[in-house]
Amino acid sequence: ILEIEFQAADVLELTEVSLNVIEFFLGDSLGEQIPAFANSGTVTINPPGASELIVGGGDLDVGGEIEIPISLTNENDVSGFQFTLTDNPDILSYVSIVGTERTSDWLINASQVENNVIILGFDMQGGVIEAGDGPIVYLTMQGNEVGESTLSLSSVVLSDPTGAQMPSIVTAGVVTVSSGGNEAEWVVDVGGVT
């Protein structure tokens, strides 16, 4: 019975907007108020032409290492990227990063700051990641504690060849760290009785 149209400013990343009905009145044909209730909702704005960054996942044992691909699906050329990877809960630590076939001539750098790994990549010669899909970096992480951690990206900046920021969306990954079956069996000898 009611259609509402919204116009949003340009968004560069997947954005959720909450719609809340604060107050409304519903009346009958005589103008008498009819008791009514409203439900709030959420609208997800997916920017057109957005490139998607996808974080891989997997399983490893405590003390072991895992190679996590970060992939890019893009319709347009990308000339640079920067983003922050966070593992939540913090059970992993950063070891190293390498480029892929799509970024073989690029300068790729990463550094861990507390629970965040800040990742940066660009080509000093002005090369681009051409339209397509596949990994752009492989990140090696070490398992420090048993548990399951979500790897998410934030502060994402993808640049086009003119240096302008491109719209992007992100898909998180999950890493499971297990004990590796190295649980010790304890036998207690009390007074000669086992």
Side-chain angles (χ1 to χ4, degrees), residues 115-187:
N115 185 32
N116 299 317
V117 180
I118 301 168
I119 300 168
L120 170 71
F122 62 93
D123 183 359
M124 298 288 278
Q125 305 302 317
V128 297
I129 301 172
E130 295 180 355
D133 60 72
I136 57 171
V137 296
Y138 287 105
L139 189 68
T140 301
M141 304 288 282
Q142 180 176 1
N144 299 326
E145 296 178 33
V146 173
E148 184 175 278
S149 185
T150 300
L151 302 177
S152 57
L153 298 179
S154 61
S155 303
V156 174
V157 177
L158 298 176
S159 300
D160 71 13
T162 69
Q165 185 173 353
M166 303 169 68
S168 62
I169 57 176
V170 174
T171 301
V174 175
V175 171
T176 302
V177 181
S178 60
S179 63
N182 295 330
E183 298 171 10
E185 277 191 39
W186 290 83
V187 178

Side-chain angles (χ1 to χ4, degrees), residues 24 31 47:
F24 80 99

Side-chain angles (χ1 to χ4, degrees), residues 52 68 108 132 161 171 177:
E52 182 178 15
I68 305 289
I108 308 285
T171 301
V177 181

